Amino acid sequence: MNMHNSDLKNFFTYSFSLDCVIFGYQNGKIHVLLIKRSIEPYENYWAIPGDLVYPDEDLPNAAERILFDLTRLKNIELHQAQTFGNPTRHPQGRVITNAYFALIRIDEFKAEASSWAEEVQWVPINEVPNLAFDHNLIVNSTYELLKQKLTFEPICFDLLPVRFTLNEFQQLYEFAFEQEMDKANFRKKIKYIPLVAHDEKQQNVKHRPAKLFSFDETLYQDQLKKGVYQFRM
Amino acid sequence: MNMHNSDLKNFFTYSFSLDCVIFGYQNGKIHVLLIKRSIEPYENYWAIPGDLVYPDEDLPNAAERILFDLTRLKNIELHQAQTFGNPTRHPQGRVITNAYFALIRIDEFKAEASSWAEEVQWVPINEVPNLAFDHNLIVNSTYELLKQKLTFEPICFDLLPVRFTLNEFQQLYEFAFEQEMDKANFRKKIKYIPLVAHDEKQQNVKHRPAKLFSFDETLYQDQLKKGVYQFRM
DNA sequence: CTAAATATTGTCATTTGTACAATAACTATT
DNA sequence: AATAGTTATTGTACAAATGACAATATTTAG
């Protein structure tokens, strides 16, 4: 497979690609996974992992394959985001691209550069450099979508460690919505979210350690089915 | 332009199309605009208006053009929805399609069959027949998206007449969410939505006529900017 | 003028939201 | 072991929103 260089122009009249915006959470900040391109166009630029879709490939499969090829990440739940089709977005021809995104725990998965990705790097969402193609647009649009989804789907738990403190939970929302919240009131607000309290506590802090919680996905699905509760922040 | 028949296979290795889901509101029901195909494949099937995107055409422009070509509708604000890329969704080759949707006042715009659309028809969302291609999937997914958006964006006013009664407003939500609401409580809930009360009243009803209201878009945008208020139903 | 019908407003108990204060539990230091 | 420092967790009091229901108002039809 080498449809990445100058012969792309002759390969398709126009073509279809897929770009992955992978979000992670670390040190109180939402991060995005970037790769460094070792090929033209935009050689040596940072970009989000993406590539052309094969002619007989379904989009979810393409997303999985492309992400794995470039970053060795697998078993990640990818979700469709927007499609970008500006005719001039690719310097070598018409390439329409569909963004997919995922939320992962950075330390549970190890991203490694592979194929034409020379390096991989997690970058805080508000420190993303100038990227290849229209990837800044794609990252920003998808981050807006993420923030929207954070308010009415319990996806924050894909970013947090499996066991987290209520403060960590709160700080994630404070970061995303760029506003501080009252600790006591935050705890009342999340009263109905099905969390399990564990006996375990935070380690290596030089003050009273916080209790650890985890999200009960099964109970959440039950509540959804019964219609007794709808997630909303 | 005739890339719709058997020569499609040779025209593009794979191609990209755009399908429009146009919603309207009438007689207390949300409707979808359908066209009847006069060409193969799926000749004589009902479908949503859609066609191939030109190689040098931006997606928003393509959406406008395609909708106008088939239904004569214009000056309609179209919004991007999902992209559908199942390799077998089109019987003649790989065609990835991007759905766009719009919300309009049915009687303010007159849809007319044009080009290879033989007929146009507004159909209640819960009475949509078996459609061409995967168009049932597209319509249903986009309707789900619409319902989501109804809860956090003031797009309901694109469906309602410019001047509407509070009951009409309420009934739209009752239809979309399939649940009845208390009249008095509904009025309290919408207290902060910037509506203008007019002196005008409902006509031709055989009981006390209701007062007419309209949505103040300008005031809403101001409130948004100031961050004092966020639409939420 | 009256009945029928729906629009509109009001009441009240309950729940939720908000700001802030108080208490609890742990670490580090003396 | 006692104490200070630090953060976790719970509580309190008042304002605002919600929900079920009742009461009143305005129009048409006769």
Side-chain angles (χ1 to χ4, degrees), chain A residues 187-222:
Chain A
R187 279 151 201 255
K188 286 178 201 159
K189 189 170 195 161
I190 63 172
K191 187 165 53 162
Y192 296 114
I193 300 179
L195 298 182
V196 185
H198 299 278
D199 284 335
E200 205 181 336
K201 302 197 166 173
Q202 216 177 8
Q203 298 294 326
N204 302 323
V205 285
K206 48 179 183 293
H207 55 260
R208 174 180 177 182
K211 200 184 275 187
L212 293 180
F213 292 82
S214 60
F215 177 63
D216 190 336
E217 178 73 35
T218 316
L219 187 49
Y220 172 71
Q221 293 297 341
D222 281 3

Side-chain angles (χ1 to χ4, degrees), chain B residues 167 183-184 187-188 207-208 210-211:
Chain B
N167 269 343
K183 277 188 185 187
R187 279 152 201 254
K188 288 180 203 159
H207 56 262
R208 175 179 175 182
K211 200 185 278 189

